[in-house]
Coordinates of all heavy atoms in Angstrom, one line a residue:
G1 N -41.4 -27.5 97.4 CA -42.3 -26.6 96.7 C -41.7 -26.1 95.5 O -40.8 -26.7 94.9
N2 N -42.1 -24.9 95.1 CA -41.6 -24.2 93.9 C -41.0 -22.9 94.2 O -41.2 -22.4 95.3 CB -42.7 -24.1 92.8 CG -44.0 -23.4 93.4 OD1 -43.9 -22.2 93.8 ND2 -45.1 -24.1 93.5
Q3 N -40.2 -22.3 93.3 CA -39.5 -21.2 93.6 C -39.5 -20.2 92.4 O -39.5 -20.6 91.2 CB -38.0 -21.6 93.8 CG -37.0 -20.4 93.9 CD -35.6 -20.9 94.0 OE1 -35.3 -21.8 94.8 NE2 -34.7 -20.4 93.3
I4 N -39.6 -18.9 92.7 CA -39.6 -17.8 91.7 C -38.5 -16.8 92.1 O -38.5 -16.4 93.3 CB -41.0 -17.1 91.6 CG1 -42.0 -18.1 91.1 CG2 -40.9 -15.9 90.6 CD1 -43.4 -17.5 91.1
T5 N -37.6 -16.5 91.2 CA -36.5 -15.6 91.5 C -36.3 -14.5 90.5 O -36.5 -14.8 89.3 CB -35.2 -16.4 91.6 OG1 -35.4 -17.5 92.5 CG2 -34.0 -15.6 92.1
T6 N -35.9 -13.3 90.9 CA -35.5 -12.3 90.0 C -34.1 -11.8 90.5 O -33.8 -11.9 91.7 CB -36.5 -11.1 90.0 OG1 -36.6 -10.6 91.4 CG2 -37.8 -11.5 89.5
G7 N -33.3 -11.4 89.6 CA -31.9 -11.0 90.0 C -31.3 -10.1 89.0 O -31.8 -9.7 87.9
L8 N -30.1 -9.7 89.4 CA -29.3 -8.7 88.5 C -27.8 -9.1 88.5 O -27.2 -9.4 89.6 CB -29.4 -7.3 89.1 CG -28.6 -6.2 88.4 CD1 -29.2 -6.0 86.9 CD2 -28.7 -4.9 89.1
I9 N -27.3 -9.2 87.3 CA -25.9 -9.4 87.1 C -25.2 -8.1 86.9 O -25.5 -7.3 86.0 CB -25.6 -10.3 85.9 CG1 -26.3 -11.7 86.1 CG2 -24.1 -10.5 85.8 CD1 -26.2 -12.5 84.9
D10 N -24.3 -7.7 87.8 CA -23.5 -6.4 87.7 C -22.2 -6.8 87.0 O -21.3 -7.3 87.6 CB -23.3 -5.8 89.1 CG -22.7 -4.4 89.0 OD1 -22.0 -4.1 88.1 OD2 -23.0 -3.6 89.9
F11 N -22.1 -6.4 85.7 CA -20.9 -6.7 85.0 C -19.7 -5.8 85.3 O -18.6 -6.0 84.9 CB -21.2 -6.6 83.5 CG -22.2 -7.6 83.0 CD1 -23.5 -7.3 82.7 CD2 -21.8 -8.9 82.8 CE1 -24.4 -8.2 82.2 CE2 -22.7 -9.9 82.4 CZ -24.0 -9.5 82.1
N12 N -20.0 -4.8 86.2 CA -18.9 -3.9 86.6 C -18.2 -4.5 87.9 O -17.0 -4.5 88.0 CB -19.4 -2.5 86.9 CG -19.9 -1.8 85.7 OD1 -19.3 -1.8 84.6 ND2 -21.0 -1.1 85.8
T13 N -19.0 -5.0 88.8 CA -18.4 -5.5 90.0 C -18.3 -7.1 90.0 O -17.8 -7.7 90.9 CB -19.3 -5.2 91.2 OG1 -20.7 -5.7 91.0 CG2 -19.4 -3.6 91.4
F14 N -18.9 -7.7 88.9 CA -19.0 -9.1 88.8 C -19.6 -9.8 90.0 O -19.2 -10.8 90.4 CB -17.6 -9.7 88.6 CG -17.0 -9.3 87.2 CD1 -16.1 -8.2 87.2 CD2 -17.3 -9.9 86.1 CE1 -15.5 -7.8 85.9 CE2 -16.8 -9.6 84.8 CZ -15.9 -8.5 84.8
N15 N -20.7 -9.2 90.4 CA -21.5 -9.8 91.5 C -22.9 -10.1 91.0 O -23.4 -9.4 90.1 CB -21.6 -8.8 92.7 CG -20.4 -8.8 93.6 OD1 -19.7 -9.9 93.7 ND2 -20.1 -7.7 94.2
V16 N -23.5 -11.1 91.5 CA -24.9 -11.5 91.2 C -25.7 -11.4 92.4 O -25.4 -12.1 93.4 CB -24.9 -12.9 90.6 CG1 -26.4 -13.3 90.2 CG2 -24.0 -13.1 89.4
T17 N -26.8 -10.6 92.4 CA -27.7 -10.5 93.5 C -29.1 -11.0 93.0 O -29.5 -10.7 91.9 CB -27.8 -9.1 94.0 OG1 -28.2 -8.2 93.0 CG2 -26.5 -8.6 94.6
S18 N -29.8 -11.7 93.9 CA -31.1 -12.2 93.6 C -32.0 -12.2 94.8 O -31.5 -12.3 95.9 CB -31.0 -13.5 92.9 OG -30.4 -14.5 93.8
S19 N -33.3 -12.3 94.6 CA -34.2 -12.5 95.7 C -35.4 -13.2 95.1 O -35.7 -13.2 93.9 CB -34.6 -11.2 96.3 OG -35.3 -10.3 95.3
G20 N -36.2 -13.8 96.0 CA -37.3 -14.5 95.5 C -38.2 -15.1 96.6 O -38.0 -14.8 97.7
T21 N -39.1 -16.0 96.1 CA -40.1 -16.6 97.0 C -40.2 -18.1 96.8 O -40.2 -18.6 95.6 CB -41.5 -16.0 96.7 OG1 -41.4 -14.6 96.9 CG2 -42.5 -16.5 97.7
V22 N -40.3 -18.8 97.9 CA -40.5 -20.2 97.8 C -41.9 -20.5 98.4 O -42.2 -20.1 99.5 CB -39.4 -21.0 98.7 CG1 -39.8 -22.5 98.8 CG2 -38.0 -20.8 98.2
T23 N -42.7 -21.2 97.6 CA -44.0 -21.6 98.0 C -44.1 -23.1 98.3 O -43.9 -23.9 97.3 CB -45.1 -21.2 97.0 OG1 -45.0 -19.7 96.8 CG2 -46.5 -21.5 97.5
F24 N -44.4 -23.5 99.5 CA -44.4 -24.9 99.8 C -45.7 -25.6 99.4 O -46.8 -25.0 99.7 CB -44.1 -25.1 101.3 CG -42.7 -24.8 101.6 CD1 -42.4 -23.7 102.4 CD2 -41.6 -25.5 101.1 CE1 -41.1 -23.3 102.8 CE2 -40.3 -25.1 101.4 CZ -40.1 -24.0 102.2
T25 N -45.6 -26.7 98.8 CA -46.8 -27.5 98.4 C -46.9 -28.8 99.2 O -47.9 -29.5 99.0 CB -46.7 -27.8 96.9 OG1 -45.5 -28.5 96.6 CG2 -46.7 -26.5 96.1
G26 N -46.0 -29.1 100.0 CA -46.0 -30.3 100.8 C -44.8 -30.6 101.6 O -43.9 -29.7 101.7
G27 N -44.7 -31.8 102.2 CA -43.5 -32.1 103.0 C -43.6 -33.6 103.3 O -44.5 -34.3 102.9
S28 N -42.6 -34.0 104.1 CA -42.6 -35.4 104.5 C -42.2 -35.5 106.0 O -41.8 -34.5 106.6 CB -41.6 -36.2 103.7 OG -40.3 -35.7 103.9
G29 N -42.4 -36.7 106.6 CA -42.2 -36.8 108.1 C -43.1 -36.0 108.9 O -44.3 -36.0 108.6
Q30 N -42.6 -35.2 109.8 CA -43.5 -34.4 110.7 C -44.0 -33.2 109.9 O -44.9 -32.5 110.4 CB -42.7 -34.0 111.9 CG -41.5 -33.0 111.6 CD -40.9 -32.5 112.9 OE1 -41.6 -32.2 113.9 NE2 -39.6 -32.4 112.9
F31 N -43.5 -32.9 108.7 CA -44.0 -31.8 107.9 C -44.9 -32.2 106.8 O -45.0 -31.5 105.8 CB -42.8 -31.0 107.4 CG -41.8 -30.6 108.4 CD1 -40.5 -30.7 108.3 CD2 -42.3 -30.0 109.6 CE1 -39.6 -30.3 109.3 CE2 -41.4 -29.6 110.6 CZ -40.1 -29.7 110.4
E32 N -45.5 -33.4 106.9 CA -46.4 -33.9 105.8 C -47.5 -32.9 105.6 O -48.1 -32.4 106.5 CB -46.9 -35.3 106.2 CG -47.7 -35.9 105.1 CD -48.2 -37.3 105.5 OE1 -47.9 -37.8 106.6 OE2 -48.9 -37.9 104.7
N33 N -47.8 -32.7 104.3 CA -48.9 -31.8 103.8 C -48.6 -30.3 104.3 O -49.6 -29.5 104.4 CB -50.2 -32.2 104.3 CG -50.6 -33.6 103.8 OD1 -50.3 -33.9 102.7 ND2 -51.2 -34.4 104.7
A34 N -47.4 -29.9 104.5 CA -47.1 -28.6 104.9 C -47.4 -27.6 103.8 O -47.3 -27.9 102.6 CB -45.6 -28.5 105.4
T35 N -47.7 -26.4 104.2 CA -47.9 -25.2 103.3 C -47.1 -24.0 104.0 O -46.8 -24.0 105.2 CB -49.3 -24.9 103.1 OG1 -49.9 -24.5 104.4 CG2 -50.1 -26.0 102.5
G36 N -46.8 -23.1 103.1 CA -46.1 -21.9 103.7 C -45.3 -21.2 102.6 O -45.3 -21.6 101.5
T37 N -44.7 -20.1 103.1 CA -43.9 -19.3 102.1 C -42.6 -18.8 102.8 O -42.6 -18.4 104.0 CB -44.7 -18.0 101.7 OG1 -45.9 -18.4 101.1 CG2 -43.9 -17.2 100.7
F38 N -41.5 -19.0 102.1 CA -40.2 -18.4 102.5 C -39.8 -17.3 101.5 O -40.1 -17.4 100.3 CB -39.1 -19.5 102.5 CG -39.1 -20.5 103.6 CD1 -38.2 -21.5 103.7 CD2 -40.1 -20.4 104.6 CE1 -38.2 -22.4 104.7 CE2 -40.1 -21.3 105.6 CZ -39.2 -22.3 105.7
T39 N -39.1 -16.3 101.9 CA -38.5 -15.4 101.0 C -37.0 -15.5 101.2 O -36.5 -15.9 102.3 CB -38.9 -13.9 101.3 OG1 -38.6 -13.6 102.7 CG2 -40.4 -13.7 101.1
F40 N -36.2 -15.1 100.2 CA -34.8 -15.3 100.3 C -34.1 -14.2 99.5 O -34.6 -13.6 98.6 CB -34.3 -16.7 99.8 CG -34.6 -16.9 98.4 CD1 -33.6 -16.6 97.4 CD2 -35.8 -17.5 97.9 CE1 -33.8 -16.8 96.1 CE2 -36.0 -17.7 96.6 CZ -35.0 -17.4 95.6
S41 N -32.8 -14.0 99.9 CA -32.0 -13.1 99.2 C -30.6 -13.8 99.0 O -30.2 -14.4 100.0 CB -31.8 -11.7 99.8 OG -31.3 -11.9 101.1
Q42 N -30.0 -13.6 97.9 CA -28.7 -14.3 97.6 C -27.7 -13.4 96.9 O -28.1 -12.6 96.1 CB -29.1 -15.5 96.8 CG -28.0 -16.5 96.5 CD -28.4 -17.8 95.8 OE1 -29.5 -18.3 96.2 NE2 -27.7 -18.3 94.9
V43 N -26.5 -13.6 97.3 CA -25.3 -12.9 96.7 C -24.2 -13.8 96.4 O -23.9 -14.7 97.2 CB -24.8 -11.8 97.7 CG1 -23.6 -11.0 97.0 CG2 -25.9 -10.8 98.1
Q44 N -23.7 -13.7 95.2 CA -22.6 -14.6 94.8 C -21.8 -13.9 93.7 O -22.3 -13.0 93.0 CB -23.1 -15.9 94.3 CG -24.0 -15.8 93.0 CD -24.9 -17.0 92.8 OE1 -25.5 -17.5 93.8 NE2 -25.0 -17.4 91.6
P45 N -20.5 -14.2 93.6 CA -19.6 -13.6 92.6 C -19.9 -14.2 91.2 O -20.4 -15.4 91.1 CB -18.2 -14.0 93.1 CG -18.4 -15.2 93.9 CD -19.7 -15.1 94.5
L46 N -19.7 -13.5 90.2 CA -19.9 -14.0 88.8 C -18.6 -14.5 88.2 O -17.5 -13.9 88.4 CB -20.4 -12.8 87.9 CG -20.6 -13.1 86.4 CD1 -21.6 -14.1 86.2 CD2 -20.9 -11.8 85.7

């Protein structure tokens, strides 16, 4: 599917935090024609 993300770079701590939404438009195998939504949060060093 597709993904939309917003995030923030903290130049003091050199950490990157982000969150977003994944919207599914399809799939393959047993998930053919799947639809749905995932949310996610992510942390990583800069």
